[in-house]
Amino acid sequence: MRTPESSYDRRRLRQFLSGEARVDGVSRRAMLRLLAAAGVAGAAPVALGGPAGAATGAAPGIVKPVPEELFTLRGTNAETRFAALAGAGYHTPNDRFFVRNHTSTPVLSAEDWTLTVHGDGLTRERRAEFSLADLKRLPSVSHSAFVECAGNGRGFFGSQQGETVSGTAWTLGAIGVARWRGVRLADVLRRAGLSRRAVDVMPRGLDADYVTAEGVDLGRVRRPLPLSKALDDVLLAYEMNGAPLPPDHGHPVRVLVPSWIGIASVKWVGDIEVSAEPLYSPWNTDFYRLFGHGYPQEGSAPLTRQTVKSAWELDAGANLAAGVGHRLTGRSWSGGGGVVRVDVSTDGGASWRPARLHDAPRRDGWVRWSTHWRPTAPGPYTLLARATDRTGRTQPDATAHNTQGYLFDAVVRHPVNAV
Ligand SMILES: Nc1nc2c(c(=O)[nH]1)N[C@H]1C(S)=C(S)[C@@H](COP(=O)(O)O)O[C@H]1N2
Ligand SMILES: [Mo]
């Protein structure tokens, strides 16, 4: 928990910075200067709070119940337990969909909500407003797609590779697949009067300013999206699995950017800047690039597509009866192309066999799979699953380190006990 002193310091630092910390459109140089002034150059957002609320089924800033059977709480975030997806169907039910909040869920009224589209990438008035009713009058589309945090699997950089990274130490549950319904962002942009000079769009959330653990106010969550992607398959979603978008997932409207890292899918969107020049925010400069050995000083290009991963629908350390047959299940996915093959091992990688796949490969979805296993003798075992997508990309044995622990894709060693 934060002490009164440290929140006082944070407030003071915010006031101090507010003179020049207008971070909208801030240059990277200015950002670095600010971070240096605060003595936190290179710092990443870090999950706060640790065990706060852990046993209560409530999490700071999350509206829906987050009971222990369904979630692992991590600061302001709630990670889906894969064991809770066994038998749950293709889509992640809304009650067990992970929540990643930079601050906390704002409870917004759909009637009072408007979306403002503005900027020099528009023709005419350079500004247009849409109510939810306006959006609902446009043609609606439904699309199944995952939202997955760029840091999903981050905890394994530490636990499996012995490396230090910053950020929330997720295991594999910072992903969910839902059926989203909404309107094409392309339709909204065209209606607003898209100019031929437009190159980037930047949606911004209505949640509170994000203040880093070090006390730097980075403004509201926002991340530029190239126009090419914005016009391709991006939705402004107002429904999730047939229900109005729940508060924690962006009510009344969120951006949904299929197959890209979760931060692109801005929740509680309130405005979208359309620009004739490339846009920058901390979320595509200091965060969500790869930094560290082997990467340029300014980091890699901003991250876009997700990587390939696999998860067993079992808790780590689960007990399974020895001497009897079990049907084990899991899911694999990749932002690069649908998963076409999953190989599994129940002996720590000594031998492998293909799992049975139960869904057709889709780039922005996952495939469920199963395998049968009869542990002969009691004792510890290590389960492994390795997916391959349509582009031929396969999960490696290790992921190259990056300081913020993004895009973990290595095969995860899943411990179980036969008892
Ligand atoms: N406005 C806003 N949008 C946001 C975030 C946020 O904190 N605020 N978190 C982002 C991140 S990092 C992820 S991984 C996804 C998580 O979506 P979910 O909480 O619906 O699972 O939302 C993204 N959109
Ligand atoms: Mo994320």
Side-chain angles (χ1 to χ4, degrees):
M1 293 311 304
R2 196 169 292 129
T3 63
E5 284 88 341
S6 72
S7 56
Y8 170 76
D9 282 347
R10 274 156 43 95
R11 210 159 49 235
R12 202 179 41 174
L13 183 58
R14 254 158 105 166
Q15 287 160 351
F16 164 73
L17 287 171
S18 63
E20 53 177 326
R22 305 282 328 161
V23 270
D24 270 304
V26 74
S27 73
R28 183 174 157 75
R29 202 148 104 252
M31 263 304 297
L32 284 176
R33 205 179 58 232
L34 289 170
L35 290 169
V40 290
V46 172
L48 300 170
T56 66
I62 295 179
V63 168
K64 69 182 176 185
V66 283
E68 247 178 279
E69 319 84 75
L70 305 183
F71 293 101
T72 306
L73 298 186
R74 303 191 184 280
T76 58
N77 314 299
E79 173 172 355
T80 301
R81 278 174 66 170
F82 254 92
L85 296 183
Y90 182 80
H91 294 111
T92 310
N94 292 359
D95 71 350
R96 59 203 72 184
F97 203 102
F98 86 104
V99 180
R100 165 46 173 139
N101 278 351
H102 279 72
T103 59
S104 59
T105 296
V107 180
L108 306 176
S109 130
E111 287 84 70
D112 299 340
W113 177 86
T114 52
L115 173 70
T116 306
V117 183
H118 58 98
D120 63 4
L122 294 183
T123 56
R124 306 197 291 261
E125 306 289 308
R126 300 205 160 169
R127 187 180 182 87
E129 293 212 342
F130 300 84
S131 67
L132 184 55
D134 293 334
L135 293 190
K136 287 188 172 172
R137 275 192 287 273
L138 297 175
S140 78
V141 281
S142 289
H143 188 77
S144 286
F146 64 70
V147 170
E148 185 189 12
C149 189
N152 195 22
R154 179 186 281 129
F156 298 108
F157 279 105
S159 64
Q160 194 161 293
Q161 302 190 177
E163 295 166 342
T164 302
V165 293
S166 58
T168 303
W170 305 105
T171 58
L172 289 168
I175 181 172
V177 176
R179 186 162 179 79
W180 309 95
R181 182 157 170 267
V183 295
R184 285 194 180 81
L185 178 57
D187 288 346
V188 172
L189 294 179
R190 292 212 174 91
R191 225 150 267 250
L194 195 58
S195 142
R196 301 169 75 146
R197 299 181 309 129
V199 295
D200 271 358
V201 305
M202 181 152 70
R204 185 165 58 154
L206 290 165
D207 41 338
D209 284 9
Y210 174 62
V211 180
T212 68
E214 295 78 13
V216 183
D217 187 336
L218 300 181
R220 275 147 56 192
V221 171
R222 63 203 185 282
R223 188 177 201 246
L225 193 63
L227 189 69
S228 53
K229 180 67 174 174
L231 294 181
D232 179 15
D233 56 358
V234 176
L235 297 187
L236 293 175
Y238 48 70
E239 269 182 31
M240 180 178 182
N241 294 323
L245 209 58
D248 296 308
H249 301 291
H251 183 86
V253 176
R254 84 178 299 166
V255 180
L256 193 274
V257 183
S259 71
W260 281 31
I261 58 173
I263 186 64
S265 293
V266 170
K267 303 192 278 190
W268 314 292
V269 60
D271 73 288
I272 302 178
E273 178 177 357
V274 184
S275 171
E277 282 172 7
L279 294 174
Y280 296 92
S281 87
W283 287 268
N284 75 339
T285 54
D286 292 282
F287 311 131
Y288 302 104
R289 295 182 181 221
L290 305 179
F291 291 94
H293 184 73
Y295 296 107
Q297 181 71 36
E298 70 281 10
S300 69
L303 301 179
T304 58
R305 296 242 191 124
Q306 264 294 2
T307 49
V308 54
K309 292 191 190 67
S310 301
W312 297 84
E313 292 175 340
L314 273 177
D315 285 329
N319 290 330
L320 296 160
V324 293
H326 298 275
R327 179 175 182 270
L328 303 181
T329 58
R331 302 181 190 229
S332 298
W333 60 95
S334 166
V339 167
V340 293
R341 184 186 173 97
V342 179
D343 294 292
V344 294
S345 171
T346 49
D347 55 13
S351 66
W352 292 85
R353 58 186 183 274
R356 193 163 155 227
L357 306 189
H358 301 288
D359 295 298
R362 290 201 23 240
R363 182 179 90 183
D364 41 20
W366 51 22
V367 297
R368 289 167 293 173
W369 45 260
S370 64
T371 191
H372 286 273
W373 181 46
R374 187 171 163 277
T376 45
Y381 292 83
T382 301
L383 309 183
L384 307 176
R386 185 194 305 275
T388 303
D389 74 18
R390 192 179 258 147
T391 69
R393 185 167 182 153
T394 293
Q395 292 182 253
D397 292 329
T399 302
H401 176 261
N402 67 89
T403 58
Q404 297 178 33
Y406 296 130
L407 302 187
F408 187 86
D409 63 350
V411 173
V412 167
R413 302 182 65 81
H414 189 116
V416 295
N417 298 303
V419 293

